[in-house]
Amino acid sequence: MLTFDAFDPDSADPAFRFRRDDTDETAEVTYHVGDVPDGGPALGNLQQLIDGTASEKDRERFAEVWHGRVRAVLSDASLFTVTTVK
């Protein structure tokens, strides 16, 4: 019983609104993407990974760094702000 709507797509920090259909209560979640830890030079290998020319070592390093960034996003509550919208 939720409606999910994109909100303010031009913002540096994307935000989304979640509204309950039965009560119209709305929460806004802002993702502070600029605060996600940098992946360093390993992320520079993305094009080689896509076109299949990356070495196995580069593939492993990219996966390690990328998974570290995902862990940070999933475990660091400061990367998100949740507010109630009236």
Side-chain angles (χ1 to χ4, degrees):
M1 298 197 68
L2 289 173
T3 300
F4 308 94
D5 295 315
F7 177 71
D8 198 6
D10 296 325
S11 173
D13 290 334
F16 301 89
R17 286 190 174 177
F18 301 88
R19 182 179 51 84
R20 285 184 56 143
D21 290 337
D22 58 342
T23 65
D24 282 335
E25 292 175 291
T26 303
E28 181 175 295
V29 179
T30 303
Y31 174 37
H32 306 291
V33 68
D35 295 338
V36 175
D38 185 281
L43 293 184
N45 297 327
L46 182 58
Q47 186 58 51
Q48 290 83 5
L49 290 163
I50 292 170
D51 65 26
T53 62
S55 70
E56 187 59 32
K57 181 179 176 183
D58 288 341
R59 294 170 77 69
E60 290 171 4
R61 182 68 183 128
F62 177 87
E64 179 183 317
V65 169
W66 190 261
H67 290 147
R69 294 183 79 201
V70 170
R71 277 190 296 279
V73 169
L74 296 176
S75 64
D76 186 349
S78 73
L79 295 175
F80 299 90
T81 302
V82 180
T83 55
T84 301
V85 178
K86 302 286 179 186

